[in-house]
């Protein structure tokens, strides 16, 4: 073979020897996947409250909850402590639509006597350097917020606090570990009377890198440092962070991954050289992952490998020079230079010669290969851990494929020249922005936060209006109409027979056959059919509406095979009616979107009879016209004789209760009780609660079909809460606090935000990702922060609704207690309505409010089972029973 082939052969042999020698540093894909799995397990361990103390990857919450959104602006200072030099910076952030910033900085040395002296000396030095920088920038006359980049493991309970867990990177200042370093810096700064600096945020260099890149690229949600030290951070869902209270939104987690493997999890991958390097370090047994991948240690790792290879005669003719015996003699800069293959062997030969190693060409090739293997292992291990973080992010977002950006800084992979320091200023800028936004959001939602005193005032006003409605001389001008229902009893268990029930109160209409059995095997069995009421019927003529109702009844009777039977019928008519008897009801006014003409002021029972007569197919015994609220009370009263109040909290809002006849001046007689349908939705129509109505309530009212009416209902019922939320969202978007200040076409549509979305969004089990999906279904492209604000708005609106409902109910139960003349009342409230049943917090808040405002009343809440259907039949049955008793 020729000389070139011979040279290639010997080169291959030499490289194979190096490969065999460093076989354990060559990691296969399977090994790297295994490392990724181990790291993921450590992440989960670090996030758990119970498992965190024994986790090596500490997953420290940074208290940074938001990334830059481009609206940040202002002048900020930053200091960066954690490397071989200390930096002070001035960062100007412009909100000019271009997301631009301007940065000026100055480097200061970090002398060994300072970083390994006392803590007081260290922070005095930092304060002195900052003072000098401000002097040079002519900033001493300004009060500026400061971001503090402190690149060491810290535990944070607040953004502006940080307790040092341990020093790394050759720092050993005494008396600092276990103390709040931000507080130490503040004390040092206070000694400089000529500067006024407010330490607003303290961040890790990794977090700073993510924030700096996040300002330029909104997809950036991971930060990576791979240089003198190594670390990673990322935005984790709050619901997974046991160490911090709350589960809304996201928070940046500083993984402190350098300690991965300190528990022996990487022992099978650590070589004899890794162990020797660790034993000679300042912190043996700690930061083992960092010692395998960071630039602070890679040069030393190469030195140890070359030393052993030389001793075994594989390099430099077996001659061990002083350089190979001197710790720290080979640095990362040497390793990087020797790896530059494009420049051939010249760099390698020059560096090794400077170290008095006098290499042959074969030596240079072998050393270059050693450097490559060590660097590749570092990159591969770093990539495996980073892959674990990215996989977790993807799974958190429930995506098949994740598109994201990793912000990177550090000597081994330099992309952002000012990452960590500028990042501290960006964190401070974001904190400033969030504080300003918080102030604006609080101002918008403040009117929805009702004090106990305000709620007591609402209760007292409701009580006054109840009395007005009961008295003959004030009833005409009362907003709470207190309509007599002529239902004078509750079920006693003797009710029996077959009854028909009609249920009209929304967009659907029901016809029911109810079979009631008395005695020991008493039961209620129901058969029903639902029919739609088209909008053109709801808002057409009264004749068309009742003809449609009769058509539905005919279909049901045909379906059940009972068209010839003349059954007693109860008609649940869930609109305000004035009754002269249990079988007569004059419509006071339509609500819930109904607008059928020629009905108001008419007896709805007569209109139903007329429609039946026009059809001339069947006849029915219409015994009772009832409100759904009364039906709810009666249904629960069948199960619990103590139930004397009915509450509807759904599409509409209303209450009924059994009132002493002696207090009902508009009905003759003083004996016994009668159920009063309060129709409390009109409470406040006289302006008595204008002090708690917001501009959003007024906008919803003005856009409704019955402007100026049912004001209390519009603040408490499901039909309107979503619309109130929509009005608030529009206002917040106009202020630039939501949806990047862009009002979408869907948000402009009245009624788009249905109340069912409030229930879904406020669910404790719903992650913000799912909230974002609900908003996307509504055409609202939201960020994580937007989702938090929307959830907060929904909570404020629904909480107020529940509290106002509770205040009104407290007035009723207090009246019942006084009627009975007892010190302490025990009573049951029958409840129906989707808002009460389906909203995750409404029922709890309502009950808490009643308990607070009526402390002498022990109120049990009982869910009604089909109050409007079953209740109508029970009212009819009770009316029949009482009629028979009267006849006897």
């Amino acid at each position: 073979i020729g000389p070139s082939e011979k040279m290639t052969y010997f080169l291959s042999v030499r490289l194979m020897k190096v490969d065999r020698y460093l076989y354990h540093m060559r990691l296969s894909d399977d090994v790297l996947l295994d490392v990724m799995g181990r790291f993921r397990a450590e992440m989960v361990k670090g996030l758990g409250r119970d498992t965190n103390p024994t986790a090596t990857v500490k997953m420290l919450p940074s208290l940074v909850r938001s990334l830059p959104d481009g609206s940040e602006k202002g002048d900020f200072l930053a200091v960066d402590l954690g490397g071989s030099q200390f930096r002070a910076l001035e960062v100007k952030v412009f909100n000019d639509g271009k997301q631009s910033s301007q940065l000026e900085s100055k480097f200061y040395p970090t002398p060994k006597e300072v970083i390994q002296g006392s803590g007081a000396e260290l922070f005095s030095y930092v304060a002195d350097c900052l003072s000098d920088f401000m002097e040079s920038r002519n900033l001493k006359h300004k009060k500026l917020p400061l971001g503090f980049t402190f690149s060491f493991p810290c535990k944070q309970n607040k953004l502006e606090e940080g307790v040092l867990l341990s020093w790394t990177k050759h720092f050993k200042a005494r008396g600092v570990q276990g103390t709040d370093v931000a507080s130490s810096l503040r004390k040092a700064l206070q000694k400089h009377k000529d500067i006024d600096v407010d330490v607003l945020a303290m961040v890790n260099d990794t977090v700073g890198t993510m924030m700096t890149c996040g300002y330029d690229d909104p997809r950036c949600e991971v930060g990576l440092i791979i240089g003198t030290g190594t670390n990673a951070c990322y935005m984790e869902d709050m619901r997974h962070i046991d160490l911090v209270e709350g589960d809304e939104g996201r928070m940046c987690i500083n993984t402190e991954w350098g300690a991965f493997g300190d528990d022996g999890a990487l022992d099978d991958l650590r070589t004899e050289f890794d162990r020797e390097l660790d034993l000679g370090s300042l912190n043996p047994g700690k930061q083992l992952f960092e010692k395998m991948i960071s630039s602070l240690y890679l040069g030393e790792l190469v030195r140890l490998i070359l030393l052993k290879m030389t001793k075994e005669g594989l390099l430099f003719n077996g001659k061990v020079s002083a350089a190979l015996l001197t710790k720290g003699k080979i640095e990362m800069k040497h390793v990087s230079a020797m790896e530059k293959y494009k420049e051939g062997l010249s760099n390698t030969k020059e560096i090794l010669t400077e170290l008095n190693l006098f290499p042959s060409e074969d030596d240079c090739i072998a050393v270059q290969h050693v450097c490559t293997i060590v660097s590749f292992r570092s990159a591969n291990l770093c990539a495996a851990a980073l892959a674990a973080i990215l996989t977790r992010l993807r799974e958190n977002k429930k995506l098949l494929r994740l598109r994201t950006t990793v912000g990177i800084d550090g000597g081994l992979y330099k992309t952002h020249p000012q990452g960590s320091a500028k990042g501290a200023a960006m964190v401070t800028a974001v904190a400033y922005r969030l504080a300003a936004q918080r102030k604006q959001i609080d101002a918008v939602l403040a009117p929805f936060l009702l004090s106990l005193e305000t709620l007591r005032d609402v209760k007292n006003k409701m009580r006054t209006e109840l009395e007005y409605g009961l008295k003959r001389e004030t009833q005409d001008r009362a907003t709470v109409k207190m309509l007599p229902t002529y239902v004078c009893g509750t079920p006693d268990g003797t009710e029996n027979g077959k009854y028909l029930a009609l249920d009209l109160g929304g967009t659907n209409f029901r016809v029911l056959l109810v079979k009631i059995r008395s005695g020991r095997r008493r039961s209620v069995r129901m058969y029903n059919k639902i029919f739609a009421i088209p909008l053109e019927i709801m808002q057409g003529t009264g004749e068309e509406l009742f003809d449609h109702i009769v058509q539905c009844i005919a279909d049901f009777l045909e379906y059940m095979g009972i068209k010839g039977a003349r059954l007693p019928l109860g008609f649940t008519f869930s609109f305000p009616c004035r009754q002269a008897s249990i079988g007569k009801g004059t419509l006071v006014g339509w609500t819930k979107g109904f607008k059928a003409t020629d009905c108001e002021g008419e007896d709805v029972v007569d209109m139903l009879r007329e429609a039946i007569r026009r059809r001339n197919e069947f006849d029915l015994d219409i015994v009772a016209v009832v409100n759904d609220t009364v039906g709810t009370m009666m249904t629960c009263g069948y199960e619990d004789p103590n139930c004397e109040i009915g509450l509807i909290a759904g599409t509409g809002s209303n209450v009924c209760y059994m009132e002493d006849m002696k207090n009902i001046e508009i009905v003759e007689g003083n004996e016994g009780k009668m159920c009063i349908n309060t129709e409390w939705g009109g409470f406040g129509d006289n302006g008595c609660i204008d002090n708690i109505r917001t501009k959003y309530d007024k906008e919803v009212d003005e856009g409704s079909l019955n402007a100026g009416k049912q004001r209390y209902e519009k603040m408490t019922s499901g039909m309107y809460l979503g619309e109130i939320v929509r009005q608030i969202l529009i206002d917040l978007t106009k202020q630039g606090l939501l949806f990047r200040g862009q009002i979408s076409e869907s948000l402009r549509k009245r009624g788009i935000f249905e109340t069912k979305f409030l229930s879904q969004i406020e669910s404790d089990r719903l992650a913000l990702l799912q909230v974002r999906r609900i908003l996307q279904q509504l055409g609202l492209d939201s960020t994580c922060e937007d989702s938090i604000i929307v959830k907060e708005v929904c909570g404020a609106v629904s909480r107020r609704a529940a509290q106002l409902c509770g205040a009104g109910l407290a007035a009723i139960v207090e009246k019942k207690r006084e009627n009975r003349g007892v010190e302490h009342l025990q009573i049951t409230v029958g409840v129906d309505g989707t808002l009460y049943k389906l909203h995750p917090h409404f029922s709890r808040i309502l009950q808490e409010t009643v308990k607070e405002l009526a402390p002498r009343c022990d109120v049990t809440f009982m869910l009604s089972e089909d109050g409007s259907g079953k209740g109508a039949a029970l009212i009819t049955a009770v009316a029949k029973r009482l009629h028979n008793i009267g006849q006897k």
Side-chain angles (χ1 to χ4, degrees):
I1 59 175
S4 62
E5 285 87 350
K6 198 177 284 186
M7 184 176 172
T8 303
Y9 171 74
F10 285 118
L11 172 61
S12 298
V13 169
R14 176 59 60 94
L15 293 180
M16 283 171 65
K17 283 183 179 179
V18 173
D19 280 345
R20 278 201 299 271
Y21 201 78
L22 297 180
Y23 171 77
H24 291 295
M25 282 194 166
R26 303 296 290 264
L27 306 178
S28 68
D29 287 351
D30 286 343
V31 169
L32 291 171
L33 279 169
D34 186 46
V35 171
M36 174 183 154
R38 295 183 208 180
F39 187 76
R40 287 192 69 186
E42 277 301 309
M43 288 173 73
V44 172
K45 201 172 171 184
L47 288 170
R49 191 186 302 277
D50 297 333
T51 50
N52 176 272
T54 58
T56 56
V57 180
K58 284 301 178 188
M59 305 294 282
L60 302 173
S62 69
L63 282 298
V64 172
R65 296 170 183 264
S66 180
L67 293 163
D69 70 355
S71 65
E72 293 79 16
K73 62 180 178 180
D75 290 5
F76 304 92
L77 290 173
V79 292
D80 181 9
L81 181 66
S84 54
Q85 289 182 305
F86 167 74
R87 260 192 304 178
L89 305 93
E90 178 194 7
V91 182
K92 292 186 177 182
V93 184
F94 304 101
N95 183 11
D96 55 4
K98 299 175 185 175
Q99 286 188 234
S100 56
S101 60
Q102 187 178 312
L103 184 145
E104 297 290 340
S105 68
K106 189 173 179 181
F107 284 88
Y108 296 88
T110 48
K112 189 173 182 180
E113 62 271 18
V114 171
I115 66 173
Q116 296 189 2
S118 71
E121 289 168 339
L122 173 63
F123 289 106
S124 280
Y125 178 73
V126 172
D128 292 345
C129 293
L130 181 62
S131 178
D132 174 76
F133 175 73
M134 292 180 74
E135 178 84 54
S136 69
R137 297 288 305 154
N138 193 27
L139 296 172
K140 285 198 168 181
H141 64 287
K142 288 186 176 181
K143 180 174 182 177
L144 293 172
L146 173 90
F148 181 19
T149 300
F150 189 73
S151 306
F152 305 94
C154 283
K155 183 180 180 182
Q156 289 188 262
N157 291 318
K158 293 180 182 177
L159 186 59
E160 65 276 13
E161 287 178 8
V163 175
L164 176 66
L165 297 178
S166 61
W167 284 117
T168 55
K169 309 174 195 173
H170 301 315
F171 276 69
K172 281 284 183 180
R174 300 183 303 277
V176 182
Q177 203 164 319
T179 67
D180 176 12
V181 291
S183 177
S184 299
L185 178 58
R186 281 191 198 94
K187 286 174 187 172
L189 288 169
Q190 283 165 5
K191 293 175 184 175
H192 288 264
K193 303 296 182 185
D194 55 341
I195 62 174
D196 190 1
V197 175
D198 186 12
V199 182
L200 261 194
M202 188 184 132
V203 297
N204 184 279
D205 54 346
T206 325
V207 181
T209 295
M210 181 190 74
M211 294 297 277
T212 301
C213 296
Y215 185 66
D216 298 322
D217 182 347
R219 284 200 194 91
C220 182
E221 48 192 345
V222 181
L224 171 66
I225 296 285
I226 181 70
T228 313
T230 182
N231 195 13
C233 69
Y234 73 102
M235 296 300 289
E236 175 62 83
D237 289 2
M238 281 286 290
R239 62 201 165 102
H240 296 145
I241 310 172
D242 288 353
L243 304 171
V244 179
E245 291 300 318
D247 58 1
E248 300 298 335
R250 299 196 299 169
M251 182 180 287
C252 180
I253 289 292
N254 166 23
T255 66
E256 287 298 339
W257 74 6
F260 177 41
D262 286 6
D263 60 352
L266 296 176
D267 281 1
D268 57 327
L269 302 179
R270 291 173 71 224
T271 65
E272 59 181 296
F273 308 111
D274 295 308
R275 291 185 172 86
E276 190 176 346
L277 180 147
D278 177 44
L279 288 171
S281 68
L282 286 170
N283 55 348
K286 294 182 179 177
Q287 299 296 110
L288 297 183
F289 188 62
E290 181 171 84
K291 287 168 185 172
M292 295 170 81
I293 66 174
S294 83
S295 64
L296 188 65
Y297 301 99
L298 294 193
E300 181 63 9
L301 200 57
V302 167
R303 183 189 72 83
L304 292 171
I305 293 168
L306 298 184
L307 175 61
K308 184 168 183 183
M309 289 179 74
T310 305
K311 284 180 177 178
E312 293 183 9
L314 296 172
L315 288 174
F316 314 125
N317 294 318
K319 293 177 182 177
V320 178
S321 70
L324 286 181
L325 293 169
T326 306
K327 183 180 175 183
K329 196 68 177 178
I330 298 179
E331 299 176 24
M332 189 63 216
K333 63 181 180 180
H334 299 134
V335 176
S336 298
M338 289 190 287
E339 275 193 83
K340 291 179 179 175
Y341 284 89
K342 286 183 181 177
E343 296 177 22
L345 300 174
S346 58
N347 276 354
T348 307
K349 189 167 187 176
E350 185 181 328
I351 290 165
L352 293 175
T353 303
E354 284 175 7
L355 295 170
N356 295 318
L357 292 169
F358 309 109
S360 66
E361 191 171 324
D362 282 1
D363 289 336
C364 289
I365 292 167
V367 169
Q368 198 175 57
H369 199 48
V370 167
C371 291
T372 301
I373 290 172
V374 169
S375 297
F376 263 53
R377 186 187 70 156
S378 167
N380 283 333
L381 286 172
C382 186
L386 183 60
I389 290 173
L390 294 172
T391 303
R392 184 170 178 85
L393 263 179
R394 182 182 63 77
E395 290 178 356
N396 281 353
K397 295 185 177 188
K398 294 182 169 57
L399 297 173
L400 289 173
R401 189 172 185 83
L402 173 71
R403 187 177 180 187
T404 192
T405 300
V406 179
I408 311 180
D409 200 358
L412 286 180
Y413 194 134
K414 194 73 176 173
T415 62
H416 221 296
Q418 306 289 356
S420 57
K422 182 181 173 183
M426 291 313 308
V427 171
T428 309
V430 169
Y432 237 57
R433 167 177 63 83
L434 292 177
Q437 288 180 348
R438 183 72 262 161
K439 213 169 181 179
Q440 288 175 278
I441 292 165
D442 287 348
V444 167
L445 297 182
F448 290 87
L449 303 177
L450 304 180
S451 67
L452 196 56
E453 185 181 346
T454 301
L455 290 169
R456 282 200 184 99
D457 184 52
V458 171
K459 181 189 91 167
N460 294 337
K461 286 175 178 175
M462 176 65 84
R463 177 64 188 270
T464 300
E465 288 296 316
L466 296 177
E467 300 294 350
Y468 282 169
L470 288 171
K471 294 192 181 336
R472 185 174 280 108
E473 65 271 19
T474 53
Q475 209 268 343
D476 284 347
R477 60 179 186 271
T479 58
V480 181
K481 286 301 179 187
M482 306 295 281
L483 304 173
T485 65
Y486 295 86
V487 172
C488 298
T490 53
D492 66 358
T494 63
E495 292 76 21
N496 197 34
K498 293 179 183 178
Y499 303 88
L500 276 180
L502 310 183
D503 176 16
L504 178 67
T507 52
N508 288 329
F509 169 67
R510 282 192 310 156
V511 187
L512 304 95
L513 173 65
V514 183
K515 296 179 180 179
I516 304 173
R517 175 187 280 181
S518 59
R520 283 190 307 171
R521 297 175 63 190
R522 75 176 194 159
S523 64
V524 178
R525 290 171 67 192
M526 294 187 294
Y527 310 86
N528 74 82
K529 200 169 182 182
I530 298 171
F531 302 89
I533 299 186
L535 186 65
E536 61 270 20
I537 298 287
M538 287 171 65
Q539 298 183 6
T541 66
E543 194 170 289
E544 289 168 342
L545 173 63
F546 281 91
D547 281 348
H548 178 74
I549 290 169
V550 170
Q551 171 70 57
C552 296
I553 296 170
D555 289 350
F556 178 77
L557 295 176
E558 186 81 50
Y559 173 73
M560 294 299 296
I562 52 172
K563 211 166 191 179
R566 190 174 187 272
L567 296 174
L569 179 142
F571 184 12
T572 298
F573 188 75
S574 305
F575 303 93
C577 278
R578 197 179 305 280
Q579 289 186 252
S581 69
I582 196 166
K584 283 188 172 295
T586 303
L587 176 62
V588 174
W590 285 118
T591 57
K592 306 176 194 174
F594 276 73
K595 275 284 181 182
T597 59
D598 305 320
C599 293
E600 293 180 4
E602 298 295 327
D603 182 354
V604 293
V605 174
D606 283 346
M607 293 186 80
L608 179 61
R609 283 199 181 104
E610 282 297 320
I612 292 170
R613 203 170 291 126
R614 278 196 299 274
R615 191 167 183 91
N616 197 28
E617 281 186 24
F618 55 85
D619 194 16
L620 296 171
D621 177 16
I622 305 173
V623 173
V625 58
V626 298
N627 183 278
D628 55 346
T629 324
V630 183
T632 295
M633 181 190 75
M634 294 296 272
T635 302
C636 295
Y638 186 70
E639 306 294 334
D640 180 354
N642 209 25
C643 180
E644 292 197 355
I645 300 174
L647 167 67
I648 296 287
T651 312
S653 178
N654 196 17
V655 158
C656 70
Y657 72 103
M658 296 301 289
E659 177 61 89
D660 292 357
M661 282 290 291
K662 62 183 178 181
N663 296 328
I664 311 171
E665 293 184 5
I666 51 177
V667 178
E668 294 299 319
N670 290 322
E671 296 302 317
K673 295 179 183 180
M674 181 184 289
C675 180
I676 290 291
N677 168 21
T678 66
E679 287 298 339
W680 76 359
F683 175 49
D685 288 0
N686 59 358
C688 69
I689 55 171
D690 279 2
N691 61 311
I692 59 169
R693 288 178 78 225
T694 67
K695 64 177 182 178
Y696 310 108
D697 295 308
K698 289 167 187 171
E699 283 164 358
V700 169
D701 179 38
E702 286 162 12
S704 68
L705 289 169
N706 56 347
K709 295 181 180 178
Q710 301 294 109
R711 290 180 177 178
Y712 182 66
E713 182 170 75
K714 287 169 185 171
M715 296 167 80
T716 58
S717 78
M719 189 169 187
Y720 300 97
L721 299 191
E723 186 59 18
I724 296 172
V725 167
R726 188 183 73 89
Q727 293 292 347
I728 298 170
L729 299 187
I730 288 173
D731 192 16
L732 291 175
T733 307
K734 284 178 180 175
Q735 294 183 46
L737 301 170
L738 267 181
F739 311 130
R740 301 172 191 84
Q742 303 295 314
I743 301 176
S744 66
E745 280 306 309
S746 58
L747 194 57
R748 296 179 196 275
K749 291 178 187 171
R750 183 174 294 278
I752 186 73
F753 210 97
E754 296 174 39
T755 299
K756 69 176 181 181
F757 295 128
L758 267 77
S759 297
Q760 291 171 6
I761 286 169
E762 287 189 70
S763 170
D764 293 329
R765 298 188 301 275
L766 205 64
L768 280 178
L769 184 65
Q770 292 161 294
V771 174
R772 287 180 72 182
R773 283 184 185 150
I774 291 169
L775 295 175
Q776 282 166 358
Q777 288 169 16
L778 296 170
L780 304 172
D781 186 20
S782 68
T783 63
C784 180
E785 287 73 25
D786 289 339
S787 301
I788 294 170
I789 294 169
V790 170
K791 193 165 186 176
E792 187 178 354
V793 170
C794 292
V797 171
S798 61
R799 181 177 182 81
R800 184 191 68 161
Q803 287 180 320
L804 286 175
C805 205
L809 190 58
I812 301 275
V813 296
E814 273 293 320
K815 183 165 187 2
K816 287 289 295 179
R817 185 184 66 79
E818 290 175 19
N819 282 356
R820 290 192 193 175
V822 293
E823 189 65 29
H824 193 89
L825 174 72
Q826 282 197 323
I827 196 163
T828 297
V829 177
V831 195
D832 203 354
T834 52
L835 195 58
Y836 187 93
K837 287 181 174 179
L838 301 181
H839 190 281
H841 309 300
F842 188 94
S843 59
R844 173 182 55 79
I845 295 167
L846 185 149
Q847 290 173 27
E848 287 171 357
T849 305
V850 173
K851 193 171 185 179
E852 187 76 47
L853 298 180
R856 290 191 283 176
C857 300
D858 184 6
V859 183
T860 300
F861 289 83
M862 182 179 189
L863 282 177
S864 165
E865 183 194 333
D866 193 7
S868 48
K870 180 178 175 182
L874 284 166
I875 289 168
T876 306
V878 169
K880 279 284 189 186
R881 172 171 59 79
L882 294 176
H883 177 72
N884 291 338
I885 292 169
Q887 280 188 326
K888 288 176 185 176

